[in-house]
Amino acid sequence: MQVFNSIKEIQQWSLQNKKQGKTIGLVPTMGYLHNGHLSLVREARKQCDIVIVSIFVNPIQFGVNEDFDEYPRDIQRDQLRLEAEKADAIFAPAIKEMYPGGYNTYVEVLGEIPGKLCGSRRPGHFRGVTTVVSKLFNICLPDKAFFGQKDAQQALIVEKMVKELNFPLEIVRVPIVREEDGLAMSSRNVYLDHEQRHEALILWQALQKAQESIRSGETNVETVRRQIKQMIVACPQAQIDYIEIYNASDLADLQKIRGQVLIALAVKFGSTRLIDNLIVEV
Ligand code: PAF
């Protein structure tokens, strides 16, 4: 497995691979890899000849009061995990390689999708994501890029950007990977203390309960949101950021629950903000 820090070098390497007719799969990550990331790598391994994993904690997608400095990093451990998964290359640039002095170009998707959920709570976050992802696409030249369903809104926004800016690649969405007890895997789970880790299970429990309720005929958005809220507020450390139910393909508001709906949650346990979601087909 090769490790690249230079944009020029990985771009040349990708070009050479493409000239030889090889397909490239890119898994963009911020590192501190867990099994959720590795499931993206495995999917890329199945679908493409060459697998590149980018590891870059992207400063421009963090707000001023967010956890950029504390975000967990362990490149050596990541490297071992990726070797075991037979990834072909890691791209781990320094911040100044991606954003040299005077950097001033950004890519932003506007409209309803980025204006909801995390987009309305984290100003500038998705502009940071779409900017870095566009750069990674231009640098690594993937035929396919793999994104986790855990960040459902991010996947929708990146899909829209790829379509509207005509990037010549396909976005592949990979299902959420959960711990045995149901907690969605996230690099931020390491911040949780024992009690918060236990309370955080309520997210998956509430999502399942909501699914049950919808499947047994409940079509009222407010009723389902209230049911979820009741379960979460029973946890002493939980502070709800949002509980939302939208159309799964475009985050449009719903008069009634029908079709494919996305139930999305963001809840803080102590200072750790977790997100989770479930798509329910009615
Ligand atoms: O999902 C993430 O880890 C990040 O938002 C991404 C896509 C790697 C961009 O920095």
Side-chain angles (χ1 to χ4, degrees):
M1 187 177 68
Q2 306 209 43
V3 180
F4 293 94
N5 308 115
S6 142
I7 292 176
K8 209 169 156 192
E9 283 172 18
I10 194 159
Q11 209 171 32
Q12 274 168 2
W13 183 79
S14 292
L15 268 172
Q16 274 165 17
N17 277 295
K18 283 177 100 71
K19 275 191 197 141
Q20 290 165 17
K22 293 186 180 152
T23 56
I24 298 178
L26 171 67
V27 181
T29 81
M30 299 204 298
Y32 211 71
L33 305 177
H34 50 67
N35 283 334
H37 296 113
L38 299 185
S39 78
L40 302 178
V41 176
R42 283 174 205 144
E43 200 51 46
R45 187 69 290 160
K46 268 193 234 156
Q47 297 193 24
C48 301
D49 301 320
I50 297 286
V51 177
I52 302 176
V53 180
S54 64
I55 297 180
F56 180 62
V57 185
N58 175 34
I60 66 165
Q61 70 184 72
F62 288 79
V64 273
N65 296 318
E66 292 184 358
D67 56 345
F68 174 73
D69 289 331
E70 297 83 47
Y71 197 84
R73 294 160 171 90
D74 190 342
I75 186 90
Q76 261 128 30
R77 193 186 70 146
D78 290 347
Q79 204 166 322
L80 289 175
R81 293 200 158 177
L82 293 174
E83 257 156 23
E85 295 298 330
K86 303 198 174 4
D88 297 285
I90 294 179
F91 174 51
I95 293 177
K96 60 179 185 315
E97 178 74 358
M98 291 295 270
Y99 305 117
Y103 185 89
N104 234 337
T105 304
Y106 297 87
V107 178
E108 186 169 15
V109 174
L110 303 174
E112 194 167 32
I113 300 178
K116 291 183 165 171
L117 305 176
C118 294
S120 63
R121 272 82 179 173
R122 303 181 66 189
H125 169 67
F126 285 119
R127 181 173 100 134
V129 170
T130 42
T131 299
V132 81
V133 165
S134 305
K135 285 172 72 69
L136 291 168
F137 291 168
N138 286 331
I139 293 165
C140 300
L141 309 171
D143 297 279
K144 296 188 182 192
F146 296 77
F147 287 83
Q149 175 59 24
K150 166 135 178 307
D151 296 295
Q153 188 180 19
Q154 170 171 279
L156 278 170
I157 291 171
V158 171
E159 281 163 2
K160 192 166 167 62
M161 176 189 81
V162 163
K163 185 166 171 235
E164 295 185 354
L165 289 182
N166 313 100
F167 278 101
L169 59 97
E170 185 191 326
I171 300 298
V172 180
R173 278 208 222 183
V174 180
I176 296 178
V177 179
R178 297 182 180 279
E179 304 284 358
E180 266 182 26
D181 57 11
L183 182 68
M185 291 198 183
S186 162
S187 303
R188 291 190 167 98
N189 290 350
V190 292
Y191 300 147
L192 300 168
D193 67 23
H194 183 71
E195 205 177 314
Q196 292 163 347
R197 168 73 183 68
H198 182 70
E199 283 193 12
L201 297 180
I202 200 68
L203 301 183
W204 178 226
Q205 289 161 5
L207 287 168
Q208 285 175 298
K209 196 86 194 156
Q211 172 170 256
E212 240 175 77
S213 156
I214 293 169
R215 291 213 168 133
S216 35
E218 184 55 68
T219 58
N220 188 298
V221 175
E222 276 318 306
T223 308
V224 179
R225 289 180 68 213
R226 218 174 311 119
Q227 286 166 348
I228 297 174
K229 188 171 174 189
Q230 263 169 17
M231 289 180 75
I232 298 178
V233 294
C235 297
Q237 297 214 42
Q239 295 159 257
I240 297 171
D241 187 357
Y242 62 71
I243 299 168
E244 301 290 359
I245 304 175
Y246 292 127
N247 183 302
S249 61
D250 57 5
L251 303 190
D253 292 336
L254 298 165
Q255 299 302 324
K256 275 185 163 200
I257 297 178
R258 74 174 133 200
Q260 268 206 340
V261 299
L262 175 77
I263 312 173
L265 311 178
V267 178
K268 266 177 132 183
F269 295 88
S271 57
T272 307
R273 183 176 178 277
L274 299 182
I275 56 170
D276 201 349
N277 71 76
L278 182 64
I279 291 183
V280 181
E281 174 103 47
V282 184

